[in-house]
Amino acid sequence: MDLLTVLTASTNSLGGKLLAVAGLLAAIGTLAMTAVETASNLWRGRMRMHRRLFQAWVRADLTACFSRMHAWAGEGDADTPSPSSLPLDEATEAERQFLQLACGDLRHAQILFDQPTDKFAAQLQAAANVALEHPGQYRALYLFLTQPVAPAPVANPSQADHALWLAFTQGDLPASAGDPMAAAMRARARLGNLVSRRLDVFQNAARYRWDRLRQWAGSVLAGALAAVVALQADWSGHGLLAVPFVLIAGAMAPFANDVVNSLSRFGGKV
């Protein structure tokens, strides 16, 4: 038997073993992510997370510090308050107006929170647009969306964008140099951009939190399943290989999530 034949046989044998191991790891990761997805759907995990983040945002008025929302899963930044210190006991008037405009009736709020993050954020954006167009009628929500948590010093507070647009919509715009209507329209444009960016950050934070929780849960479950498989295998004196096997299985779980998502989208089209 020549050298080429030996190398080919060895390569085929090694490739077959690696393919079998890779298939096993992919199966473990897919099973773990499927279990996580099923559990989250049965437990309504996304609805609970959306509601909790929304309440932390509106009730605790964390508009200028969205990183603080990560206090729910860690210590966050240096200025992050503890979850127990956030005033989340009662709904604020801004929250009630937000939900009323987003879903029409507070009794439908659970359905709103249970939407995918993109649709949930789109409903909030629509509600914010109504509040911007009618700030007098939805004053609490308008001030929450447009008034900075820590406003910069302004020589004349009435010339701040949120105050200027509110006064214009109520017909109380004081006479000043220049065109008051043009100044109010410019303030309205700036406020619209500000509110859109704040909602974008909230949407990104919610999506990041949801993906992160699912990935952590999938990795832990995949590692546990791989450990069970490793205990049943005969490593023939290579027991140390069980450790990287378990770690790789946990690391591959998030990639298996793509397979699960693809299957979910395919099932929705059938």
Side-chain angles (χ1 to χ4, degrees):
M1 183 178 296
D2 58 13
L3 179 61
L4 182 59
T5 303
V6 173
L7 291 177
T8 302
S10 300
T11 302
N12 291 337
S13 176
L14 179 60
K17 293 178 181 179
L18 290 177
L19 182 61
V21 173
L24 177 60
L25 292 173
I28 291 175
T30 302
L31 180 61
M33 293 306 301
T34 302
V36 169
E37 188 72 17
T38 302
S40 65
N41 289 335
L42 293 176
W43 187 61
R44 312 296 288 275
R46 180 162 49 193
M47 179 197 70
R48 297 171 186 270
M49 187 206 68
H50 281 165
R51 180 172 57 194
R52 197 171 189 182
L53 288 181
F54 179 79
Q55 291 175 350
W57 177 35
V58 181
R59 297 185 187 184
D61 200 9
L62 303 183
T63 306
C65 306
F66 279 98
S67 63
R68 294 181 177 180
M69 288 195 293
H70 296 288
W72 297 115
E75 295 185 355
D77 296 336
D79 60 350
T80 299
S82 63
S84 60
S85 68
L86 300 178
L88 304 179
D89 296 334
E90 297 182 0
T92 62
E93 182 62 23
E95 180 184 353
R96 285 189 286 268
Q97 292 180 359
F98 220 153
L99 293 178
Q100 179 185 0
L101 292 175
C103 56
D105 193 321
L106 296 181
R107 293 174 297 179
H108 302 155
Q110 179 172 327
I111 300 176
L112 173 68
F113 293 132
D114 203 24
Q115 296 296 314
T117 302
D118 293 342
K119 292 184 178 180
F120 174 52
Q123 292 295 103
L124 296 183
Q125 181 67 67
N129 292 339
V130 175
L132 285 174
E133 291 299 326
H134 307 280
Q137 185 175 355
Y138 303 101
R139 188 183 185 93
L141 177 57
Y142 171 78
L143 292 178
F144 167 75
L145 291 171
T146 60
Q147 190 170 10
V149 176
V154 179
N156 186 359
S158 64
Q159 297 302 313
D161 286 342
H162 67 278
L164 189 63
W165 177 244
L166 178 61
F168 177 79
T169 58
Q170 295 179 336
D172 298 332
L173 193 63
S176 60
D179 186 354
M181 179 177 293
M185 291 296 105
R186 289 193 295 269
R188 170 63 178 83
R190 290 191 293 268
L191 289 175
N193 182 70
L194 171 66
V195 172
S196 294
R197 298 294 76 75
R198 286 180 170 176
L199 288 172
D200 286 344
V201 173
F202 176 79
Q203 176 183 352
N204 292 334
R207 184 186 295 111
Y208 166 78
R209 175 56 52 77
W210 180 241
D211 291 342
R212 185 181 184 186
L213 288 176
R214 291 171 68 243
Q215 289 178 1
W216 270 104
S219 294
V220 172
L221 182 56
L225 292 176
V228 173
V229 173
L231 291 175
Q232 306 299 321
D234 181 13
W235 294 91
S236 301
H238 299 85
L240 293 178
L241 294 177
V243 176
F245 176 78
V246 172
L247 295 178
I248 293 175
M252 286 185 62
F255 298 99
N257 182 43
D258 296 336
V259 177
V260 176
N261 289 337
S262 299
L263 292 176
S264 298
R265 288 192 294 269
F266 176 77
K269 296 178 181 179
V270 176

